[in-house]
Amino acid sequence: SLMEQLTFFHDHTVMILSMITIMVAYIMMTLTKNKYINRYLLEGQTIELIWTVMPAITLIFIALPSLRLLYMIDEINNPSITLKVIGHQWYWSYEYSDFSNTEFDSYMKPVNEMNKNEIRLLDVDNRTVIPMNTQARVVVTAADVLHSWAVPALGIKIDAVPGRLNQGNMNI
């Protein structure tokens, strides 16, 4: 549901930006073809007020849905499962701490061990399993250098920083 909201916000913002672009292009084209000069446009405070207020209103139309979405992404509602993800130099470690401390490492598959339907640099030897229709909390950290843990289809991307725990949530 978060990725769906992100997609709606993207479409909303692109629609506003395309309307602005079309309006500015239209005004520029009419100004290049127009031979008349209006002294009220050159000296008017009304037009200055309009082109100062309109961008502020446009920014409000973009900022309010953005803030709502930011708060939705950070909200964690009583997770049923917690997954701890630790980024290492060439692999990820996963821990299901809610159960019997199940831990495993996940390495990328070498090219010579891959099947035909697997994707190079994305498939791993041990995949993480998270149940559907369950609120899951993901706690991400790194052991050595900066990493980025992401599942684009779920709209989640968390930076792994050594010495710091970053938290996110997802509902599949």
mmCIF file of all heavy atoms in Angstrom, residues 154-172:
data_model
loop_
_atom_site.group_PDB
_atom_site.id
_atom_site.type_symbol
_atom_site.label_atom_id
_atom_site.label_comp_id
_atom_site.label_asym_id
_atom_site.label_seq_id
_atom_site.Cartn_x
_atom_site.Cartn_y
_atom_site.Cartn_z
ATOM 1 N N LEU A 154 8.126 -3.100 -2.918
ATOM 2 C CA LEU A 154 7.405 -2.742 -1.694
ATOM 3 C C LEU A 154 7.577 -1.283 -1.327
ATOM 4 O O LEU A 154 7.017 -0.810 -0.346
ATOM 5 C CB LEU A 154 7.887 -3.617 -0.529
ATOM 6 C CG LEU A 154 7.625 -5.104 -0.658
ATOM 7 C CD1 LEU A 154 8.232 -5.855 0.505
ATOM 8 C CD2 LEU A 154 6.134 -5.372 -0.747
ATOM 9 N N GLY A 155 8.389 -0.557 -2.079
ATOM 10 C CA GLY A 155 8.611 0.852 -1.792
ATOM 11 C C GLY A 155 9.430 1.081 -0.547
ATOM 12 O O GLY A 155 9.225 2.055 0.162
ATOM 13 N N ILE A 156 10.367 0.187 -0.263
ATOM 14 C CA ILE A 156 11.186 0.323 0.936
ATOM 15 C C ILE A 156 12.657 0.356 0.551
ATOM 16 O O ILE A 156 13.112 -0.426 -0.282
ATOM 17 C CB ILE A 156 10.884 -0.820 1.942
ATOM 18 C CG1 ILE A 156 11.599 -0.581 3.263
ATOM 19 C CG2 ILE A 156 11.214 -2.163 1.384
ATOM 20 C CD1 ILE A 156 11.126 -1.486 4.370
ATOM 21 N N LYS A 157 13.370 1.299 1.119
ATOM 22 C CA LYS A 157 14.810 1.436 0.910
ATOM 23 C C LYS A 157 15.373 2.036 2.177
ATOM 24 O O LYS A 157 14.999 3.129 2.575
ATOM 25 C CB LYS A 157 15.112 2.329 -0.275
ATOM 26 C CG LYS A 157 16.589 2.470 -0.570
ATOM 27 C CD LYS A 157 16.795 3.298 -1.828
ATOM 28 C CE LYS A 157 18.235 3.311 -2.232
ATOM 29 N NZ LYS A 157 19.004 4.316 -1.550
ATOM 30 N N ILE A 158 16.274 1.298 2.831
ATOM 31 C CA ILE A 158 16.830 1.727 4.107
ATOM 32 C C ILE A 158 18.346 1.697 3.994
ATOM 33 O O ILE A 158 18.926 0.722 3.541
ATOM 34 C CB ILE A 158 16.363 0.806 5.248
ATOM 35 C CG1 ILE A 158 14.838 0.734 5.304
ATOM 36 C CG2 ILE A 158 16.906 1.296 6.585
ATOM 37 C CD1 ILE A 158 14.306 -0.305 6.250
ATOM 38 N N ASP A 159 18.978 2.774 4.425
ATOM 39 C CA ASP A 159 20.435 2.827 4.415
ATOM 40 C C ASP A 159 20.981 2.097 5.629
ATOM 41 O O ASP A 159 20.472 2.241 6.741
ATOM 42 C CB ASP A 159 20.922 4.273 4.418
ATOM 43 C CG ASP A 159 20.609 4.987 3.119
ATOM 44 O OD1 ASP A 159 20.574 4.306 2.081
ATOM 45 O OD2 ASP A 159 20.397 6.206 3.153
ATOM 46 N N ALA A 160 22.029 1.308 5.401
ATOM 47 C CA ALA A 160 22.701 0.577 6.472
ATOM 48 C C ALA A 160 23.989 1.318 6.807
ATOM 49 O O ALA A 160 24.891 1.408 5.987
ATOM 50 C CB ALA A 160 22.986 -0.855 6.034
ATOM 51 N N VAL A 161 24.046 1.851 8.020
ATOM 52 C CA VAL A 161 25.182 2.645 8.475
ATOM 53 C C VAL A 161 25.823 1.924 9.660
ATOM 54 O O VAL A 161 25.112 1.524 10.580
ATOM 55 C CB VAL A 161 24.724 4.064 8.888
ATOM 56 C CG1 VAL A 161 25.902 4.902 9.341
ATOM 57 C CG2 VAL A 161 23.992 4.732 7.746
ATOM 58 N N PRO A 162 27.137 1.745 9.654
ATOM 59 C CA PRO A 162 27.780 1.078 10.792
ATOM 60 C C PRO A 162 27.549 1.835 12.096
ATOM 61 O O PRO A 162 27.679 3.060 12.145
ATOM 62 C CB PRO A 162 29.262 1.073 10.424
ATOM 63 C CG PRO A 162 29.308 1.280 8.955
ATOM 64 C CD PRO A 162 28.100 2.074 8.607
ATOM 65 N N GLY A 163 27.166 1.110 13.138
ATOM 66 C CA GLY A 163 26.954 1.711 14.436
ATOM 67 C C GLY A 163 25.608 2.380 14.615
ATOM 68 O O GLY A 163 25.352 3.012 15.631
ATOM 69 N N ARG A 164 24.727 2.249 13.656
ATOM 70 C CA ARG A 164 23.421 2.899 13.740
ATOM 71 C C ARG A 164 22.346 1.924 13.283
ATOM 72 O O ARG A 164 22.520 1.207 12.296
ATOM 73 C CB ARG A 164 23.415 4.136 12.859
ATOM 74 C CG ARG A 164 22.117 4.863 12.876
ATOM 75 C CD ARG A 164 22.196 6.139 12.089
ATOM 76 N NE ARG A 164 20.875 6.750 12.073
ATOM 77 C CZ ARG A 164 20.611 7.840 11.435
ATOM 78 N NH1 ARG A 164 21.547 8.464 10.766
ATOM 79 N NH2 ARG A 164 19.404 8.344 11.449
ATOM 80 N N LEU A 165 21.213 1.901 13.978
ATOM 81 C CA LEU A 165 20.084 1.069 13.585
ATOM 82 C C LEU A 165 19.048 1.933 12.891
ATOM 83 O O LEU A 165 18.551 2.908 13.460
ATOM 84 C CB LEU A 165 19.445 0.408 14.809
ATOM 85 C CG LEU A 165 20.212 -0.732 15.456
ATOM 86 C CD1 LEU A 165 19.487 -1.195 16.708
ATOM 87 C CD2 LEU A 165 20.376 -1.887 14.508
ATOM 88 N N ASN A 166 18.719 1.601 11.661
ATOM 89 C CA ASN A 166 17.645 2.274 10.928
ATOM 90 C C ASN A 166 16.482 1.303 10.838
ATOM 91 O O ASN A 166 16.673 0.096 10.682
ATOM 92 C CB ASN A 166 18.104 2.696 9.536
ATOM 93 C CG ASN A 166 19.086 3.843 9.599
ATOM 94 O OD1 ASN A 166 19.006 4.678 10.491
ATOM 95 N ND2 ASN A 166 20.000 3.893 8.669
ATOM 96 N N GLN A 167 15.283 1.844 10.902
ATOM 97 C CA GLN A 167 14.099 0.996 11.018
ATOM 98 C C GLN A 167 13.105 1.350 9.928
ATOM 99 O O GLN A 167 12.934 2.511 9.571
ATOM 100 C CB GLN A 167 13.508 1.234 12.404
ATOM 101 C CG GLN A 167 12.199 0.595 12.669
ATOM 102 C CD GLN A 167 11.811 0.773 14.118
ATOM 103 O OE1 GLN A 167 12.345 0.105 14.976
ATOM 104 N NE2 GLN A 167 10.900 1.688 14.396
ATOM 105 N N GLY A 168 12.430 0.344 9.433
ATOM 106 C CA GLY A 168 11.367 0.539 8.456
ATOM 107 C C GLY A 168 10.298 -0.498 8.652
ATOM 108 O O GLY A 168 10.456 -1.432 9.438
ATOM 109 N N ASN A 169 9.189 -0.344 7.944
ATOM 110 C CA ASN A 169 8.117 -1.335 8.051
ATOM 111 C C ASN A 169 7.603 -1.673 6.678
ATOM 112 O O ASN A 169 7.753 -0.929 5.723
ATOM 113 C CB ASN A 169 6.993 -0.809 8.946
ATOM 114 C CG ASN A 169 6.251 0.332 8.313
ATOM 115 O OD1 ASN A 169 6.790 1.093 7.547
ATOM 116 N ND2 ASN A 169 4.984 0.449 8.657
ATOM 117 N N MET A 170 6.999 -2.850 6.608
ATOM 118 C CA MET A 170 6.398 -3.262 5.346
ATOM 119 C C MET A 170 5.271 -4.242 5.622
ATOM 120 O O MET A 170 5.260 -4.925 6.635
ATOM 121 C CB MET A 170 7.436 -3.856 4.409
ATOM 122 C CG MET A 170 8.142 -5.062 4.897
ATOM 123 S SD MET A 170 9.381 -5.555 3.688
ATOM 124 C CE MET A 170 10.392 -6.577 4.697
ATOM 125 N N ASN A 171 4.332 -4.260 4.710
ATOM 126 C CA ASN A 171 3.211 -5.183 4.768
ATOM 127 C C ASN A 171 3.030 -5.742 3.372
ATOM 128 O O ASN A 171 2.647 -5.021 2.463
ATOM 129 C CB ASN A 171 1.945 -4.461 5.237
ATOM 130 C CG ASN A 171 0.834 -5.404 5.564
ATOM 131 O OD1 ASN A 171 0.945 -6.606 5.347
ATOM 132 N ND2 ASN A 171 -0.249 -4.868 6.079
ATOM 133 N N ILE A 172 3.338 -6.997 3.200
ATOM 134 C CA ILE A 172 3.293 -7.620 1.873
ATOM 135 C C ILE A 172 1.876 -8.072 1.586
ATOM 136 O O ILE A 172 1.265 -8.738 2.383
ATOM 137 C CB ILE A 172 4.275 -8.790 1.784
ATOM 138 C CG1 ILE A 172 5.675 -8.310 2.105
ATOM 139 C CG2 ILE A 172 4.226 -9.458 0.429
ATOM 140 C CD1 ILE A 172 6.702 -9.384 2.232
#
